[in-house]
Amino acid sequence: NLSNHPAFVAYAITCVALCCNLIFLWAYSGAARSKAKSTPNPEDASRFSSRLADIDPPEIARVLRAHANAQATIVPFLALGLVYVLAGGPPGAAAWYFTVFTVAALLGYLGSRQPLRTLSFVVAAISLLALVLHVVWLLIAAGEMAAEPVTCTELAACGRSTEVNQSHAPVHDPF
């Protein structure tokens, strides 16, 4: 059961936190647009008594950039995190990758707090790169293990099908 695996639990908590961050930024962009009474859409300008603007005011543009930056890092991180968990990455390393990236992503994107914003970007980027390298290493190791012959006894030990074909080689039933 995957929900009992510590790496998956760490991933699930990370996923919830990062998705909440994206939802917050999405809602905050709407709130900033409403407060500034500015919109790029004619139908919204007439409906909400806002001014029509081709260019977003600075307070709206900052939130939109923060949201775009968050999406650009969070989406690949969540995809790689899932591959890491499914590839059998160790839970201890998962907790470190997921915690470091999440804290960095939550701290740095909004506001004009330098050098915190740059530092959080660098920490998140290093965490993402480390996760990429670890996923590649796990997949290479899995590929090498798949190339090794497996006996019927080894398959039975992990609960896999041990049917034997005519050549007496084990047949793996993935379902």
Side-chain angles (χ1 to χ4, degrees), residues 9 23 35 42-43 45 49 67 82 92 94 98 102 113-115 130 140 169:
V9 172
I23 292 167
K35 183 179 177 186
E43 65 277 9
S49 302
H67 193 213
L82 182 59
F98 300 163
T102 301
R113 301 172 301 229
Q114 283 294 7
I140 289 171

Side-chain angles (χ1 to χ4, degrees), residues 38-122:
S38 176
T39 182
N41 304 316
E43 65 277 9
D44 293 340
S46 63
R47 173 77 172 109
F48 298 110
S49 302
S50 297
R51 65 183 155 79
L52 190 59
D54 289 332
I55 299 173
D56 287 318
E59 62 273 20
I60 296 171
R62 176 174 289 283
V63 177
L64 295 176
R65 285 192 309 269
H67 193 213
N69 288 342
Q71 288 174 323
T73 56
I74 289 172
V75 171
F77 186 85
L78 291 178
L80 287 166
L82 182 59
V83 172
Y84 176 89
V85 170
L86 294 176
W96 278 102
Y97 292 136
F98 300 163
T99 301
V100 168
F101 181 86
T102 301
V103 169
L106 294 177
L107 285 180
Y109 289 119
L110 207 52
S112 54
R113 301 172 301 229
Q114 283 294 7
L116 179 62
R117 199 171 77 226
T118 299
L119 181 61
S120 71
F121 170 79
V122 169

Side-chain angles (χ1 to χ4, degrees), residues 117-142:
R117 199 171 77 226
T118 299
L119 181 61
S120 71
F121 170 79
V122 169
V123 169
I126 290 170
S127 177
L128 185 58
L129 179 61
L131 182 61
V132 166
L133 294 174
H134 202 155
V135 165
V136 168
W137 180 77
L138 287 168
L139 295 175
I140 289 171

Side-chain angles (χ1 to χ4, degrees), residues 142-175:
E144 289 173 359
M145 289 179 66
E148 296 177 13
V150 179
T151 66
C152 291
T153 306
E154 290 172 330
L155 286 173
C158 67
R160 305 274 172 88
S161 171
T162 56
E163 292 179 26
V164 179
N165 65 15
Q166 296 297 336
S167 67
H168 300 289
V171 175
H172 177 258
D173 180 9
F175 302 102

